[in-house]
Amino acid sequence: MLNDPRTPARRRTLTGILLVAVAAGLSACTPTIGVPVAEDAANPKCAEVVLAVPDELGELPKIKTDSQATAAWGEPGAAVTLRCGVTPPEPTTAFCQSVSSTAGSVDWIVTDDGKDTWTFVTYGRDPAVEVQISPAVKNSQSTDFVSDLNRAVSKVEQTRYCM
């Protein structure tokens, strides 16, 4: 009687096995973005930053990354990536912008690589956080979502400020 597929115990077991197989198959289809690990990614403050990032950035859903102390939103080829543990920038004459939100204010050094990718690096925080915005994202929506990262980035104390 136990081998009869109609018994409730047998059906529950088969249903459980099927659900596990489907879940495993679906998770294998989830995209993963390759993000280079930063030099100081093992800094404990980076763990705090990454654990505090939002599940959605603007209209972009969070997706998996393949490196420690990183996060990404969007999809491969059209993503916003975050790396914690990059070398803090020295005082500079480059464009430094203070971005405010309800979570506070964060100072960012903003650069363009000449290929339409914008890079934001926190100023006055050690370890520093780098956010790269791909051309596909930058050209399709406002980058105001950078302020949504303030709560996470504020896990690292600010010791210097933009002038």
Side-chain angles (χ1 to χ4, degrees):
M1 201 67 173
L2 188 57
N3 289 331
D4 185 350
R6 294 170 293 187
T7 64
R10 178 85 169 156
R11 274 185 288 181
R12 280 194 304 272
T13 301
L14 291 174
T15 300
I17 291 170
L18 181 61
L19 287 174
V20 168
V22 168
L26 289 176
S27 68
C29 296
T30 304
T32 298
I33 295 216
V35 181
V37 68
E39 308 83 40
D40 196 18
N43 188 308
K45 284 293 181 183
C46 286
E48 291 181 43
V49 169
V50 172
L51 288 172
V53 298
D55 290 333
E56 193 171 272
L57 196 57
E59 299 172 7
L60 304 171
K62 188 175 176 191
I63 60 175
K64 292 180 181 181
T65 60
D66 64 357
S67 298
Q68 179 180 351
T70 63
W73 298 265
E75 59 188 51
V80 174
T81 60
L82 176 145
R83 297 187 316 146
C84 183
V86 298
T87 302
E90 294 295 322
T92 179
T93 57
F95 182 63
C96 190
Q97 175 179 354
S98 186
V99 176
S100 297
S101 74
T102 57
S105 184
V106 173
D107 290 349
W108 298 92
I109 303 287
V110 184
T111 58
D112 182 336
D113 70 352
K115 298 176 187 163
D116 228 14
T117 297
W118 284 0
T119 301
F120 291 69
V121 179
T122 55
Y123 180 75
R125 297 175 193 266
D126 188 0
V129 175
E130 174 191 85
V131 175
Q132 287 195 332
I133 303 172
S134 71
V137 171
K138 187 176 77 84
N139 295 334
S140 68
Q141 63 180 300
S142 166
T143 57
D144 289 346
F145 56 73
V146 170
S147 66
D148 295 343
L149 295 170
N150 284 8
R151 184 172 318 284
V153 170
S154 293
K155 300 293 182 186
V156 179
E157 181 184 359
Q158 186 166 4
T159 58
R160 292 184 297 179
Y161 300 87
C162 287
M163 298 302 277

